[in-house]
Amino acid sequence: HAPLTANVLRHLAEILLSILLFVLVVNSVRTPGQLRILVTVLILAGTVSAAIGVFLYILPDELTVRILSVLRVVRYPSGSDVLRYIEDDPSRPLRATSTSVDPNVLGGALIFITSMATAQFFESRPVVSKRQLTIAVCLLLTCMILTFSRGSFFGLAVACFALALLRYPRLIWIGL
């Protein structure tokens, strides 16, 4: 019921790509070895993104702006627009974005990766060592806290509660 704009078309393309990616993964990942590689890559990529988010958060604002403004060649915002604050008020705390434009988008990605890494941590044969998973989960949680995304906190709590109910009851005690 609205005119087709570039933004609406981009969102439609993103939804279609997400659906097609699901179909591609379901039809391509056939063996446990392939699944292990995929899970390892996802956890590693998410952890690197979280590490970038924490690193950019602790840098001085001017340096963070300069570093992220380099991404303008891929239509990333540049200048002071790359920094996001609570309620868009620079007198309030800065929110971590990593290389995402929005802290809530980063938080949503962190829900997925953190819950996957947490599940691997409680697995008897994880895809990577428990020590590496401990470092990954700590980085992921730190970055999520720095996003100040309440929806992401809630989403991660729900995901971990579902993991606790369905597979890892020890998580209930940790959650309490």
Side-chain angles (χ1 to χ4, degrees):
H1 301 285
L4 185 62
T5 63
N7 197 32
V8 171
L9 189 60
R10 183 178 60 83
H11 283 297
L12 176 64
E14 288 172 353
I15 291 169
L16 291 175
L17 283 173
S18 297
I19 293 168
L20 291 174
L21 181 63
F22 171 79
V23 172
L24 176 72
V25 169
V26 167
N27 288 316
S28 298
V29 178
R30 298 288 186 176
T31 66
Q34 291 173 330
L35 183 61
R36 290 176 70 83
I37 291 169
L38 181 63
V39 170
T40 302
V41 168
L42 286 172
I43 292 172
L44 178 63
T47 304
V48 167
S49 178
I52 291 169
V54 171
F55 178 71
L56 291 173
Y57 188 87
I58 61 174
L59 285 178
D61 290 353
E62 301 81 30
L63 185 55
T64 300
V65 168
R66 278 192 295 176
I67 291 171
L68 288 175
S69 291
V70 171
L71 297 174
R72 69 180 164 270
V73 296
V74 290
R75 298 185 54 107
Y76 195 87
S78 61
S80 61
D81 292 341
V82 298
L83 298 180
R84 301 292 297 269
Y85 297 93
I86 294 177
E87 298 177 5
D88 292 326
D89 181 0
S91 66
R92 309 278 316 260
L94 179 68
R95 298 176 72 189
T97 58
S98 187
T99 55
S100 299
V101 175
D102 186 70
N104 295 321
V105 171
L106 175 61
L110 291 174
I111 293 169
F112 175 69
I113 301 299
T114 307
S115 58
M116 185 184 307
T118 302
Q120 283 296 305
F121 184 81
F122 287 98
E123 191 60 41
S124 59
R125 291 182 299 138
V127 295
V128 295
S129 73
K130 299 259 185 182
R131 183 173 188 216
Q132 292 169 330
L133 284 168
T134 302
I135 293 167
V137 170
C138 287
L139 264 173
L140 291 161
L141 287 174
T142 300
C143 189
M144 181 174 286
I145 289 168
L146 295 176
T147 65
F148 291 93
S149 175
R150 295 175 307 242
S152 298
F153 299 152
F154 181 73
L156 181 60
V158 169
C160 287
F161 184 70
L163 281 172
L165 285 179
L166 298 174
R167 178 83 186 205
Y168 307 106
R170 291 184 296 167
L171 260 175
I172 291 174
W173 298 111
I174 294 170
L176 292 175

